[in-house]
Amino acid sequence: YDPECSQYVLLCANRTCLSGFPGQSPYRALLETLELTNTKLTLQLINDNNKVRLLLELYRLQGNMTRVKINELKPLKPRFEVPDVLINDPPTEPLSLLSQDENGVVLSLGADSQWLIVSAKPFRLDIMEGREVLLSLNSRGLLAFEHLRIPLLTALANGLKRTSTPFSLLFPFSFSPPQCFSPALSIGLHEDGMWEETFKSHTDNKPNGPSSISLDFSLPGVEHVYGIPEHADSLKLKTTDGGDPYRLFNLDVFQYELFNPMALYGAIPVMLSHSAQRTMGIFWLNAAETWVDISSNTGSSETPQTDVRWISESGIIDVFIMLGPTPTDVFSQYSSLTGTQAFPPLSALAYHQCRWNYNDQEDVAAVDQGFDEHDIPYDFIWLDIEHTDGKRYFTWDPHKFPQPKDMLQGLVDKRRKMVTIVDPHIKVDSSYKIHNEIRSKGFYVKNKDGGDYEGWCWPGNSGYPDFTNPEMRAWWASMFAYDQYEGSMENMYTWNDMNEPSVFNGPEVTMHKDALHGNWENRDLHNLYGLYVQMATAEGLIERSGGVERPFVLTRAFFAGSQRYGAVWTGDNTAEWEHLKISIPMCLSLGLVGVSFCGADVGGFFKSPSTELLVRWYQTGAYQPFFRAHAHLDTPRREPWLFGPENTALIREAVRQRYALLPYWYQLFYHAHHSGQPVMRPLWVEYPQDTATFSMDDQFLLGRDLLVHPVTEEGGRGVTAYLPGKGEVWFDVHTFQKHNGAQNLYIPVTISSIPVFQRGGSIIPRKARVRRSSSCMEHDPYTLFVALSPKRFAQGELYIDDGHTFNFDKQKQFIHRRLSFANKALSSRNLAPGSQFITPSWIEKIVILGASKPSKATLKTPDGKENLLEFEFDASMSVLTLRKPGVNAGVDWTVVLQ
Amino acid sequence: MFTNCSLGHCHIIVAVVLWSICVDSRKIRGISLSYKRFYRERKSFLCIDGSKMIPFDQVNDDYCDCMDGSDEPGTAACPTGRFYCTNLGYRSHYIPSSRVNDGICDCCDASDEYRSQTPCQNTCRNLGQRERAEVEGQTRVLGERLRLKQLLIEEGVLTWREKQAQLRDLQRVSDDLQTQLDDLRKEEARRKEEADALREREIGARETADNSPTSHYRPESPISVFKELDSNRDGSITVDEVQAKLSPVQDEEHALSEDEAVALLGGAHRVDLSRFEETLWTSLRTGDSVTIKGRRGVPGSLADEDPNIKAAVSAAEKASADLKRVEDAYETVYMEIRDLREKLSIDYGSEREFLFLHDQCFQLKVYEYIYELCPFSQVTQKSASGEVVSLGKWGSWAGPPENPYCQMRYESGEPCWQGPTRNTMVMLICGTETALRSVKEPSKCQYVMELQTPVSCQPALRQRGVHSEL
């Protein structure tokens, strides 16, 4: 992939053009067309240069959001509006008109003295709180909307001229400099690239001419913006002045570059802005190729301001302004639109062992055995493309995997699971059932001439099912039924790779933009394809279990809303230290925009890691949400025990730390599912006023309570972790040493160090009995780590369910308890009175950090019994260990210290 | 992955367990007999590492008190603990405590899953029987295999001796040839010098006589021919000498009759040099009737004219040919010695037990490929299309220090696309036949083969005992 897009006429960002004519928007609001209903305000906009009218719709959405929609008033044909991403039609709240004159209107956005001001000439929107502008739209006049047209020759042939349509209506942007790319700018009768353009040897046809859209947003007081994954870049987005904009266009990128705004496998057009005063979000709901330009006045003496411009190749402007004001609010707002993280089966949060490829059944059995011999837990072993019969998905290589059910049963016997890969490219082969059915049902994506679109991928010549078609998705889902996917069993889950989609011989290794999904061009919905593949696959896994079991599907390509269907990973990274480091901001960025279940290939996909890098990657991956080791076909083996006993022990310890912490991970994912809060968080999310944290991306929080600063430097002798929170304390989880908050702490490290700190004031449940797989630990007792705040207070939770079904949701079968320590008493109280679940798990041990020595500890249970607990007190570290409370984890209890 | 090799097959030693000596009042779960002494029922229990004293009723109470895990031998409570599978009737062993009550049957006596939902059967009896049968079978087989191994070792010893003898013989031949070479080199030089000297002299004479310095024709003189024919050197040529030395031009095999000889001598039975020049010499010079036996070409050449030179040249040529022949022989022997030395320098095992593998090749077809291992030489892979790819050339033994002869490394095969060269690790395992058992490619272009051979069989070690059924 060549990040230089100079050959790509369309959306080749020429900054002189993009900056356009600030302040000179040709758009004017026609206030006389204003209509206000219970749910929305509508208003026409006119481009004074060409008289083309647009329709503006404004919605005040429940939960402190504003939706701005702009479409052509009368498009030649409907323009694409993204379906299936919003979980519902977002509920509205009434807008009320506060004032109106010839310059514009003022609308109330509710009680918080928030106003929406519509200025007429030039058209502009401002969202105010009190006297403060939170955000302005089109304040730089970069609103642009290329309306659909009939090619001149066609128009002439059709006698359009006789209807005396002014030319200016056909070509509204004739003022634009000709060297510019198309978005609303570069229009002329003979403009190259307007109706057809070429990229390398590929030709792209645009039957209705260029159709791009653009809008600018100004954020006064903002210096930090985040999000718009997927890019291999820092957490804090950079200004794009003088460089390429951030590009959102799902692509299969070979050996991607770091600190580069180039497009990668997935696209989530959501940006968060943050300042010490407020957090907001902009959700640009458009699935076409999209570019985001960021500029900022940082460094000048003015009030800081960040300006953002979004450009998409087609579709409409449909943007959701999430007004926060807190990070938590923005997460709730965004998840109310696109849904929350799928709640994964507990085992999916454990360790995954993958490689391209485990060669045959014997190989799988040997690796499985290797883990037991070296006493390293794992839950999933993965099979990449070589397991199939000639890259025909849903099949098995008859020589290498002659008895897949025997193999899967072998894993069942160890309470372990498997993932097989199912990619969306389908081998064109008349003896392949899947292909024949898709072809006969007409489910393939079509080329512009109506024939089945074909491209080159792993199997050779391949078709691409039209996953945008709900019938196609339903059929695809049905292929995961146990009687359809031969050799599959309950403990086999799915991996969707190459779903950008990857087309080896396509432009930029993806599908031609003029390929057709029903009536829509790939151009309109390209970034949605991967979401649909994962959606259909997850649905298949749910259906095969009769709706009982939670699915687990990993995807490489994604879009806004993909969080509802499973996990994503950062694609084909490289075994280099910089790639280990970038895994942190990449997953943090995804977490901010809904996708909590994120991970990077542990060890690095391309190339072979040094032993030190591999160990450090395990240590880092153990504290990232999706924890999977993976390796390229051409690399030497790197199962954890191949690097000598010392390194085996280091990797074992990292994996064991992950397993011990699974109750906390599971609880975090429950919250991500329940309320959309990210699992892996930048520090500023919890310390929004601490400006020192705003650009940090070498450390992160898990939930609120664990701070992780993995060692990602080669030969690292120490790390400097920032412990936030003035007046707070943090406890080293390994040594229990207490440190004050609001300081940079230098931590000397050895190769075994994984610097992790627990926040004083929190309670974290762990399972200390690490076993072969997470399933084996299901009924094990809990150890509670109570880290006291300086005020001798702590709070935490305990969430328990069956770990794999939807019963937690459908039948409220779960335990959710509040654990709190206050006034020298630790208690467990029910947080979900409507739920019920019985667990054999009990409280094995309570470790209180920052405690003083009591004279006695008494356990009180609801039956009125009181038992004295034995305890140990380590005065040097102020650690109190209560021996074996033994009480069931699902009941009320209190431990009183005296 | 490739560092440990099994030292042959396990052997069950039937241990007689005397249960009668176990007199403890209470059974402590998860400990072996030898540890019973640590768990005598008392008021308190001392962690085996001595770190802590706890009340005895906290032993196996599902809470870990001792750092060394010794208080919870029968539960999963201690992360460092271990559980003893007694496995009566089969082999007893330890499992990590984390495998107690984890829903997976680990001990064949089901003792590890005493509180889990998973129904585990006691399979020790069956396993024990099966293993004993197997072991008995294997013991027999092992005996056979070890016998085969002994044969192969002996074969190796013989081969080794043979090869050593061969080497000595070759060395001797080589030495002989060396001596010969020395002589022959001298002889050849001498002959050459002689011939050259004669020639020069004769040419000098000719040049004076013929007064034709430019002539490159160097005829033989009548004197030299006379001398050649005058076998008894009495200064005359007789009929006998003519019959002995001359033959008709057309038929060299045919002897001249007495009459014909007399006729050639001008009717006389004996001629002197001057008479010879008038009679026989004229006939020889025309060359159409008779010729000197064994002589090519027309008389009149230098040799014709001077048998001395002729003889000298011929002798030089012969010496040269002899030298060449011996040099070739020496070269051949030298190569043989080198090959043999190379072969003998390879480490064939402590008893040269692997020597017999030399010069053998073993094949195995896996999917569409035919793999061929030629021990101590090379490994190849032949595809269905007939393309042969080198998977490595003999490198070295690669087993762990305690058992180096259980793995062979073949390296520097054909390079991989975008990668290193192919290499192959051959694991040697015990078996009756010597044959290639499996071929795998765990990482791309890194192959692992199993070669079974009785030579890799080891006499049964005394291993962990198996409880007999009492």
Side-chain angles (χ1 to χ4, degrees), chain A residues 254 355 357 359-360 362-363 366-367 371-376 397 399-401 412-415 633-639 641-642 656 768-773 775-777 779-781 842 844-846 870 872 881-885, chain B residues 1-2 52 54-55 57-65 71-72 75-80 95-106 112-113 115-118 367-368 417-420 438-446 450:
Chain A
F254 179 74
R355 173 178 178 82
N357 215 99
N359 294 333
D360 48 29
E362 226 180 299
D363 199 358
V367 171
F371 276 92
D372 284 347
E373 276 166 17
H374 298 90
D375 201 18
I376 301 171
D397 183 303
H399 300 293
K400 299 169 181 170
F401 295 92
V412 168
D413 293 345
K414 296 273 191 75
R415 307 187 71 175
L633 181 70
D634 290 343
T635 61
R637 284 288 181 124
R638 53 170 98 140
E639 283 72 44
W641 50 86
L642 296 176
R656 288 173 69 96
R769 306 178 180 190
V770 174
R771 304 192 190 246
R772 266 181 287 216
S773 70
S775 304
C776 294
M777 298 160 65
H779 300 315
D780 278 343
W842 45 284
E844 177 174 26
K845 190 194 282 192
I846 297 169
E870 283 182 40
E872 279 178 30
T881 304
L882 303 180
R883 187 186 191 280
K884 205 182 180 188
Chain B
M1 183 179 245
F2 309 131
K52 199 172 175 184
I54 59 170
D57 60 9
Q58 289 182 3
V59 170
N60 275 346
D61 72 338
D62 209 9
Y63 183 89
C64 189
D65 292 287
D71 63 316
E72 296 294 318
T75 76
C78 289
T80 56
I95 57 170
S97 286
S98 65
R99 296 181 190 176
V100 174
N101 291 325
D102 68 346
I104 300 166
C105 310
D106 290 290
D112 59 321
E113 295 300 313
R115 207 187 281 155
S116 84
Q117 308 292 314
T118 310
Y367 308 140
E368 67 265 41
W417 186 73
Q418 280 198 329
S438 72
V439 180
K440 288 181 195 147
E441 189 184 358
S443 300
K444 205 163 174 213
C445 300
Q446 299 189 354
E450 278 183 320

Side-chain angles (χ1 to χ4, degrees), chain B residues 52-292:
Chain B
K52 199 172 175 184
M53 184 84 86
I54 59 170
F56 198 86
D57 60 9
Q58 289 182 3
V59 170
N60 275 346
D61 72 338
D62 209 9
Y63 183 89
C64 189
D65 292 287
C66 300
M67 287 290 285
D68 65 356
S70 58
D71 63 316
E72 296 294 318
T75 76
C78 289
T80 56
R82 53 184 198 163
F83 178 93
Y84 187 74
C85 302
T86 304
N87 289 352
L88 196 61
Y90 189 58
R91 188 184 299 110
S92 52
H93 60 93
Y94 283 99
I95 57 170
S97 286
S98 65
R99 296 181 190 176
V100 174
N101 291 325
D102 68 346
I104 300 166
C105 310
D106 290 290
C107 307
C108 65
D109 63 5
S111 56
D112 59 321
E113 295 300 313
Y114 57 89
R115 207 187 281 155
S116 84
Q117 308 292 314
T118 310
C120 295
Q121 307 296 319
N122 186 330
T123 57
C124 293
R125 197 187 169 92
N126 287 341
L127 282 173
Q129 278 174 350
R130 199 188 311 155
E131 191 180 72
R132 270 186 291 278
E134 228 167 70
V135 166
E136 270 165 40
Q138 276 174 1
T139 311
R140 274 196 305 276
V141 173
L142 183 63
E144 171 63 12
R145 286 173 182 175
L146 289 172
R147 199 181 59 76
L148 284 172
K149 175 178 179 174
Q150 200 48 46
L151 289 178
L152 288 170
I153 290 173
E154 283 162 20
E155 192 185 310
V157 169
L158 286 180
T159 311
W160 182 260
R161 283 190 194 141
E162 218 170 77
K163 299 270 179 199
Q164 289 288 3
Q166 203 180 332
L167 182 62
R168 278 194 302 277
D169 288 350
L170 283 169
Q171 197 63 58
R172 209 173 297 125
V173 171
S174 165
D175 292 348
D176 288 354
L177 288 172
Q178 185 66 55
T179 319
Q180 284 187 42
L181 273 179
D182 292 345
D183 293 350
L184 285 169
R185 282 204 184 102
K186 280 183 211 143
E187 171 75 0
E188 193 218 16
R190 192 171 60 78
R191 291 284 183 191
K192 244 186 200 154
E193 263 169 46
E194 243 175 52
D196 290 350
L198 276 174
R199 259 197 209 109
E200 270 165 37
R201 209 185 312 148
E202 176 64 15
I203 289 165
R206 278 288 172 96
E207 279 166 0
T208 346
D210 293 358
N211 201 17
S212 54
T214 57
S215 172
H216 58 268
Y217 172 68
R218 305 201 305 181
E220 279 183 279
S221 65
I223 301 158
S224 68
V225 176
F226 184 88
K227 278 186 179 166
E228 192 183 349
L229 295 180
D230 184 13
S231 312
N232 56 5
R233 306 189 184 226
D234 61 354
S236 60
I237 295 170
T238 62
V239 170
D240 294 345
E241 285 168 332
V242 169
Q243 279 179 307
K245 289 277 173 85
L246 300 182
S247 63
V249 169
Q250 293 81 10
D251 185 3
E252 281 210 24
E253 300 306 306
H254 187 78
L256 293 171
S257 67
E258 192 178 343
D259 289 348
E260 286 165 331
V262 170
L264 285 168
L265 294 176
H269 277 82
R270 180 186 292 267
V271 292
D272 60 12
L273 178 60
S274 60
R275 188 80 182 116
F276 164 75
E277 285 191 55
E278 291 160 19
T279 57
L280 184 55
W281 174 241
T282 321
S283 306
L284 284 169
R285 280 193 70 143
T286 55
D288 49 8
S289 55
V290 290
T291 182
I292 298 169

Side-chain angles (χ1 to χ4, degrees), chain A residues 389-465:
Chain A
D389 182 7
K391 318 296 188 300
R392 294 170 185 86
Y393 305 106
F394 301 101
T395 70
W396 303 84
D397 183 303
H399 300 293
K400 299 169 181 170
F401 295 92
Q403 304 294 340
K405 285 194 177 182
D406 289 356
M407 172 178 65
L408 288 163
Q409 186 57 47
L411 292 171
V412 168
D413 293 345
K414 296 273 191 75
R415 307 187 71 175
R416 288 174 177 147
K417 302 175 170 68
M418 172 169 271
V419 168
T420 58
I421 197 165
V422 177
D423 287 351
H425 50 259
I426 301 300
K427 186 178 175 70
V428 174
D429 168 8
S430 60
S431 61
Y432 179 28
K433 182 187 86 168
I434 298 283
H435 163 71
N436 287 338
E437 288 207 30
I438 296 174
R439 172 159 283 182
S440 68
K441 290 173 194 292
F443 281 162
Y444 276 126
V445 170
K446 303 288 189 283
N447 58 42
K448 66 177 163 55
D449 304 318
D452 283 351
Y453 176 89
E454 286 180 5
W456 206 257
C457 210
W458 297 124
N461 201 30
S462 306
Y464 291 79

Side-chain angles (χ1 to χ4, degrees), chain A residues 237-259:
Chain A
L237 297 171
K238 298 184 174 102
T239 62
T240 57
D241 304 319
D244 286 330
Y246 285 97
R247 186 183 187 206
L248 293 170
F249 188 60
N250 293 357
L251 291 176
D252 177 3
V253 181
F254 179 74
Q255 297 196 343
Y256 58 78
E257 296 165 31
L258 305 185
F259 304 109

Side-chain angles (χ1 to χ4, degrees), chain A residues 792-861:
Chain A
R792 311 226 155 207
F793 174 83
Q795 204 169 57
E797 293 170 35
L798 185 59
Y799 176 85
I800 307 171
D801 64 15
D802 64 21
H804 58 96
T805 74
F806 285 109
N807 295 345
F808 77 97
D809 187 32
K810 293 181 178 166
Q811 298 167 27
K812 301 291 163 218
Q813 291 187 11
F814 63 92
I815 290 164
H816 193 190
R817 305 197 68 82
R818 161 71 62 214
L819 305 170
S820 23
F821 185 97
N823 302 321
K824 294 189 175 180
L826 174 66
S827 63
S828 169
R829 295 283 173 268
N830 199 351
L831 267 179
S835 69
Q836 54 174 9
F837 185 72
I838 292 169
T839 178
S841 296
W842 45 284
I843 309 299
E844 177 174 26
K845 190 194 282 192
I846 297 169
V847 182
I848 305 176
L849 313 178
S852 44
K853 188 178 183 179
S855 55
K856 63 176 183 176
T858 315
L859 172 72
K860 299 178 179 177
T861 42

